[in-house]
Amino acid sequence: MPWYALLDADGAVVTHVVPYLRGLILDDNRPATTKSYAHDLLRWHRLLWFLGIDWDRATEAETSALVGWLRTAPNPQRRRRNPNSPQAGSVNPRTGKPYLKAGYAPSTINHCLTVVSGFYAYHRHYNRGPLINPVPESKAQRRALAHRAPDDELPQFRRARLRQRVPKTDPRSIPDGMWDEFFAALTCDRDRAAVLLYVSSGSRAGELLQVTPGDIDWAKQLIWVVTKGRDDREAVPVSPQALTVLAAYLDRIGLPAADQPVLRTRRGPDRPLTYWAMRRVIQRVNDRLGTNWTLHDLRHTAAMRMANDPNLTLAQVRVILRHNDLATTGRYLNARVEDLFDALQAHYTRPRVERTIAPGYDPDDFKAVFGA
């Protein structure tokens, strides 16, 4: 299992971070989680190195400086090289989805604060570091969640200082009216098979890209995937259409080795299709259609279709999507304006109802009884 370390400007290992990152692995966290925590700690230490402050002398003032920096600094992962790219934060007129803003998202800032807080809490347990955690905590949240029955409604509480307000947004999926043109823009059986597998199984991007020939049960129309955060394989149903297109693709390229993923690259040496290559497939479709769909929108599309199917219960959809909480699956029951276009047009064009009086009644009597 890989492990990560933090290096300073001279390339030396930052020793006081090593036991914390190794502890994350021993606590049964995934390597990707450890890597993410290491990046957050790198941001924190870069700030301390810039300010010339030792890690065990940090206070809330340095945490405030970190938050101020992240709120104003551009995110290098969202740098746009094409000058004709849509403006950051604008809304795509076709999909109704906003483009990512140029800076760090509020959830990213909150995650960084959580990591720094956990890092100092870890060292405080071993009587190292400052006596007071430099990241403020919400005492109201601690009291509200201290003694609560699992089935009780989550109580409201104020967020801690420096924590950012994260807006609640509904998941975005590809409407049925735009699905046909999206699918028609795919240019090969590999891409069609991948998209159909995504949208019929609801698998996450990384899960599907690891599927091998032995993970496909053709007779039962199932694929076996390694769920995020686990090591065990779980069965996920897929549509007959997806398996038909996948069979045509494998018949053309040949069946890979038993331990190799079935989705392969089309150019260069034969190798498994990566997340970034599959992401580029969706980007090429967006370039043709003028949309801004993402790879994860395919999972949202599958979830939206299943959750609103009257023949499936919400509990069944939760099992298929492998959500830990039923409330997460319930988010896909919300109707969207984009899906109600036809109903809204009928509502807007419906003529106004005019009141009429049945023959045999005197209009003056109606005015006297019901008013003008």
Side-chain angles (χ1 to χ4, degrees):
M1 178 177 293
W3 67 278
Y4 299 91
L6 198 64
L7 305 181
D8 60 18
D10 298 327
V13 176
V14 182
T15 56
H16 57 268
V17 177
V18 171
Y20 174 69
L21 295 179
R22 287 181 175 175
L24 293 176
I25 295 294
L26 295 176
D27 290 341
D28 200 20
N29 289 288
R30 307 299 298 171
T33 300
T34 307
K35 182 179 180 181
S36 173
Y37 277 41
H39 279 294
D40 284 324
L41 290 175
L42 179 60
R43 293 193 189 102
W44 171 249
H45 280 78
R46 280 176 174 172
L47 176 70
L48 296 181
W49 294 333
F50 176 77
L51 298 176
I53 298 175
D54 295 333
W55 74 275
D56 54 355
R57 299 293 181 181
T59 64
E60 187 176 323
E62 285 70 49
T63 307
S64 300
L66 174 69
V67 173
W69 170 39
L70 293 178
R71 282 177 58 92
T72 57
N75 189 337
Q77 297 294 330
R78 299 178 184 177
R79 186 181 298 115
R80 288 169 169 79
R81 299 180 180 177
N82 186 356
N84 298 322
S85 298
Q87 184 179 0
S90 62
V91 176
N92 185 284
R94 295 212 62 202
T95 65
K97 284 185 55 178
Y99 291 95
L100 294 175
K101 297 182 180 180
Y104 290 91
S107 57
T108 302
I109 300 176
N110 289 343
H111 185 270
C112 187
L113 292 176
T114 300
V115 172
V116 175
S117 176
F119 169 73
Y120 280 98
Y122 170 85
H123 282 289
R124 184 71 191 93
H125 177 74
Y126 294 101
N127 295 320
R128 298 190 295 259
L131 294 177
I132 300 178
N133 198 312
V135 180
E137 65 174 4
S138 173
K139 295 181 180 179
Q141 176 183 3
R142 187 174 59 185
R143 288 194 300 266
L145 302 181
H147 301 287
R148 183 177 68 89
D151 55 347
D152 287 349
E153 184 178 355
L154 185 66
Q156 297 295 321
F157 48 82
R158 290 183 61 85
R159 63 183 187 275
R161 286 193 63 253
L162 303 178
R163 296 283 177 167
Q164 306 298 294
R165 181 184 293 106
V166 179
K168 293 183 179 180
T169 57
D170 292 330
R172 290 283 183 169
S173 64
I174 304 177
D176 293 340
M178 302 183 69
W179 170 256
D180 292 338
E181 68 170 358
F182 175 86
F183 189 73
L186 300 171
T187 58
C188 64
D189 283 342
R190 183 204 63 184
D191 298 346
R192 298 186 190 100
V195 167
L196 288 174
L197 287 171
Y198 276 123
V199 84
S200 63
S201 67
S203 298
R204 299 175 180 88
E207 296 171 350
L208 186 62
L209 294 176
Q210 300 301 319
V211 170
T212 64
D215 295 328
I216 305 174
D217 191 330
W218 299 92
K220 296 181 180 180
Q221 299 179 7
L222 298 172
I223 60 174
W224 295 80
V225 299
V226 178
T227 302
K228 181 180 73 173
R230 305 177 188 174
D231 290 325
D232 298 331
R233 277 176 160 76
E234 297 185 65
V236 180
V238 294
S239 67
Q241 182 188 11
L243 291 178
T244 299
V245 179
L246 178 63
Y249 163 67
L250 294 177
D251 182 65
R252 182 177 60 81
I253 69 167
L255 196 66
D259 60 342
Q260 291 295 313
V262 295
L263 296 177
R264 319 293 296 180
T265 56
R266 297 179 61 201
R267 298 178 179 85
D270 179 61
R271 58 186 184 275
L273 188 68
T274 64
Y275 168 82
W276 298 106
M278 189 63 216
R279 185 169 176 259
R280 183 58 189 149
V281 171
I282 306 301
Q283 289 175 343
R284 285 195 292 265
V285 173
N286 287 330
D287 294 339
R288 298 189 189 100
L289 303 180
T291 54
N292 63 338
W293 303 118
T294 64
L295 190 53
H296 198 64
D297 287 337
L298 298 178
R299 175 172 167 84
H300 290 325
T301 302
M304 191 74 73
R305 291 180 177 181
M306 294 178 190
N308 292 277
D309 188 337
N311 297 318
L312 292 175
T313 66
L314 201 61
Q316 292 172 331
V317 177
R318 186 196 69 81
V319 173
I320 296 173
L321 297 176
R322 289 155 288 129
H323 286 153
N324 292 327
D325 191 351
L326 189 63
T328 305
T329 313
R331 297 174 59 212
Y332 295 96
L333 291 174
N334 297 330
R336 301 185 310 155
V337 174
E338 295 90 335
D339 300 329
L340 301 176
F341 178 80
D342 294 336
L344 288 172
Q345 292 305 311
H347 167 73
Y348 295 143
T349 58
R350 188 178 298 120
R352 183 179 179 182
V353 178
E354 298 290 342
R355 292 189 303 174
T356 59
I357 299 175
Y361 290 93
D362 187 350
D364 293 335
D365 292 341
F366 270 80
K367 288 184 180 180
V369 176
F370 298 106

